[in-house]
Amino acid sequence: MLLTKFDPFKDLAEFEKRFYKTNEGVSGFVPMVNTREGEFAYHIDVDLPGVKKENIKVDIHKDVLTISGERKTKEEIKEEDYYKVETSFGKFSRSFTLPENADIENIDANYENGVLEIIVPKLAEEKHKKIIQIK
């Protein structure tokens, strides 16, 4: 099971970032995330519709996996009697604390059809336990 450590000050900082960005005219974007644990790996699926692959960044720092990027969309309609342009954009960032048994050297990320799938393999468990005799 993928667990994250609760940090109340981090949540407050994220709220303040979103609040101030919204007041400056930049709308925030918070992608939906599904996490699940398999027998051999942890899976993180991030819905990123309208986000280009080159605008997504995945990195790890001190056992925290961070997915960040920016979404830019522009809808333009030209008709005979009117012209309409709607533009929306927003930066996003989601972070996950990785468990101790995560194999950070072999993490794999794939992006297809607006969904980013990150696979975090588990480290192989030591199957042979050694019992030490007390003398």
Side-chain angles (χ1 to χ4, degrees), residues 3-116:
L3 298 177
T4 58
K5 295 177 185 174
F6 176 72
D7 181 0
F9 298 107
K10 179 180 177 195
D11 292 339
L12 179 62
E14 286 297 317
F15 171 79
E16 288 176 347
K17 279 186 206 174
R18 288 189 197 125
F19 176 78
Y20 291 120
K21 281 185 181 179
T22 302
N23 285 343
E24 293 172 2
V26 178
S27 61
F29 165 56
V30 181
M32 298 298 291
V33 175
N34 291 316
T35 59
R36 66 186 187 284
E37 179 180 1
E39 185 177 349
F40 301 106
Y42 300 99
H43 301 266
I44 303 170
D45 298 324
V46 186
D47 292 333
L48 298 170
V51 179
K52 294 180 181 178
K53 181 179 172 180
E54 53 270 9
N55 292 339
I56 303 170
K57 180 181 173 187
V58 179
D59 61 6
I60 298 174
H61 180 67
K62 295 185 179 179
D63 294 329
V64 176
L65 179 109
T66 301
I67 304 160
S68 60
E70 186 172 7
R71 177 174 71 170
K72 300 175 188 177
T73 59
K74 182 176 183 178
E75 182 181 339
E76 188 172 358
I77 301 173
K78 291 182 181 181
E79 294 292 329
E80 188 175 306
D81 57 342
Y82 71 92
Y83 177 72
K84 175 184 166 186
V85 177
E86 288 189 19
T87 305
S88 65
F89 57 94
K91 293 184 178 184
F92 64 89
S93 178
R94 298 289 305 259
S95 296
F96 304 89
T97 302
L98 297 174
E100 290 180 13
N101 67 338
D103 184 0
I104 62 172
E105 299 299 323
N106 294 307
I107 292 176
D108 189 31
N110 298 305
Y111 185 65
E112 188 175 334
N113 297 325
V115 177
L116 174 66

